Amino acid sequence: MILYLTQKTIDTYRLKMPYEISKPLSQFVKIILEKETDNSMFEWGGKLFYFNRRKCLQIIHFASKLTLFLMDIKAKDIENLGDIIVDYIYELYKDRPNVVKKLKYFFEASPILCVNKIVNKSIIYTLNHTEIFFAQYGDRFFDYVQYNILNIDKINYDINFNYIFQSSLDKKEKYFFSGELFEKLILENY
């Protein structure tokens, strides 16, 4: 998987770009980038935001706009970010055994997470739009706090199965739930 991040996110977490990585790891990263660039099934966008003074990430899948809000992500968590994303996705689909089975193949097809700078304007727009209109700059997440516990699973369920996304392909407007589209893509491709 390739995770394209905003410059602010890259700077905040002091992430190295592919051209800054030393050999032999740089060769490995180069192969992954060549294989997965422009394959929207393996591309994700991400951006830093703050909730309750904590660093959080919003991650979005290019092909389906599946969106994950990852809360309280510290610098030490970044090296396990791929595993964190996988765990959140499995949690989202845990009640759909046919999808869980296919997700295994999806993650095996792209087991390594590489980071690069985001340039896709459509995904940048979607990240910003979702942060403003769904998350309300993080303020909406206070509605998901019960007994001083933030229900992250409910947030991720609501953004993917109760929030309508829009896409313009061939000058036609298309409206969809990102969780359903992601599920459809996984079932069709794996």
Side-chain angles (χ1 to χ4, degrees), residues 148-181:
N148 288 329
I149 298 172
L150 179 64
N151 190 340
I152 300 168
D153 297 335
K154 177 75 170 130
I155 292 169
N156 286 324
Y157 182 86
D158 283 352
I159 185 69
N160 290 297
F161 293 100
N162 293 323
Y163 185 78
I164 297 174
F165 282 88
Q166 173 187 353
S167 179
S168 298
L169 295 173
D170 303 326
K171 297 185 180 181
K172 293 181 181 177
E173 297 297 315
K174 178 180 170 188
Y175 298 93
F176 57 93
F177 293 111
S178 59
E180 291 176 2
L181 181 56

Side-chain angles (χ1 to χ4, degrees), residues 3 5 25-26 29-30 32 42 62 66 80 82 93 104 121 134 142 151 174 177-178:
L3 177 57
L5 297 170
L25 188 58
S26 64
V29 169
K30 182 180 177 184
I32 292 171
F42 298 119
F62 276 27
L66 182 84
N80 297 318
Y93 291 98
K104 178 181 180 242
K121 290 182 177 160
F134 178 81
F142 287 107
N151 190 340
K174 178 180 170 188
F177 293 111
S178 59

Side-chain angles (χ1 to χ4, degrees), residues 40-58:
S40 60
M41 279 302 290
F42 298 119
E43 293 180 302
W44 299 76
K47 108 178 251 204
L48 173 75
F49 72 97
Y50 290 88
F51 171 66
N52 204 19
R53 297 187 310 270
R54 289 178 168 79
K55 292 178 195 155
C56 304
L57 290 174
Q58 179 191 170

Side-chain angles (χ1 to χ4, degrees), residues 3-179:
L3 177 57
Y4 299 97
L5 297 170
T6 62
Q7 189 63 51
K8 180 180 176 183
T9 308
I10 292 166
D11 294 343
T12 300
Y13 287 108
R14 296 184 190 108
L15 298 171
K16 289 187 177 183
M17 292 296 92
Y19 59 86
E20 297 174 317
I21 299 172
S22 59
K23 291 185 179 181
L25 188 58
S26 64
Q27 298 297 85
F28 188 65
V29 169
K30 182 180 177 184
I31 291 167
I32 292 171
L33 291 174
E34 287 174 1
K35 177 185 163 202
E36 296 179 1
T37 298
D38 296 326
N39 182 344
S40 60
M41 279 302 290
F42 298 119
E43 293 180 302
W44 299 76
K47 108 178 251 204
L48 173 75
F49 72 97
Y50 290 88
F51 171 66
N52 204 19
R53 297 187 310 270
R54 289 178 168 79
K55 292 178 195 155
C56 304
L57 290 174
Q58 179 191 170
I59 308 291
I60 187 167
H61 183 243
F62 276 27
S64 66
K65 295 189 180 179
L66 182 84
T67 303
L68 301 172
F69 289 101
L70 314 178
M71 305 304 201
D72 198 18
I73 302 295
K74 297 172 179 56
K76 66 180 175 73
D77 299 325
I78 292 298
E79 66 185 47
N80 297 318
L81 191 56
D83 293 334
I84 293 169
I85 292 169
V86 168
D87 289 345
Y88 272 77
I89 293 172
Y90 273 124
E91 180 62 30
L92 198 58
Y93 291 98
K94 69 181 178 188
D95 296 329
R96 295 179 163 110
N98 57 333
V99 178
V100 170
K101 180 180 169 187
K102 300 283 185 160
L103 281 171
K104 178 181 180 242
Y105 300 113
F106 172 63
F107 295 128
E108 285 176 353
S110 180
I112 305 296
L113 179 70
C114 295
V115 174
N116 210 346
K117 184 178 178 189
I118 193 167
V119 293
N120 184 311
K121 290 182 177 160
S122 175
I123 296 299
I124 294 169
Y125 171 82
T126 302
L127 286 163
N128 290 333
H129 185 270
T130 306
E131 182 180 5
I132 294 166
F133 292 103
F134 178 81
Q136 300 168 359
Y137 297 106
D139 289 343
R140 181 174 184 186
F141 298 142
F142 287 107
D143 296 341
Y144 291 89
V145 175
Q146 291 181 335
Y147 308 110
N148 288 329
I149 298 172
L150 179 64
N151 190 340
I152 300 168
D153 297 335
K154 177 75 170 130
I155 292 169
N156 286 324
Y157 182 86
D158 283 352
I159 185 69
N160 290 297
F161 293 100
N162 293 323
Y163 185 78
I164 297 174
F165 282 88
Q166 173 187 353
S167 179
S168 298
L169 295 173
D170 303 326
K171 297 185 180 181
K172 293 181 181 177
E173 297 297 315
K174 178 180 170 188
Y175 298 93
F176 57 93
F177 293 111
S178 59

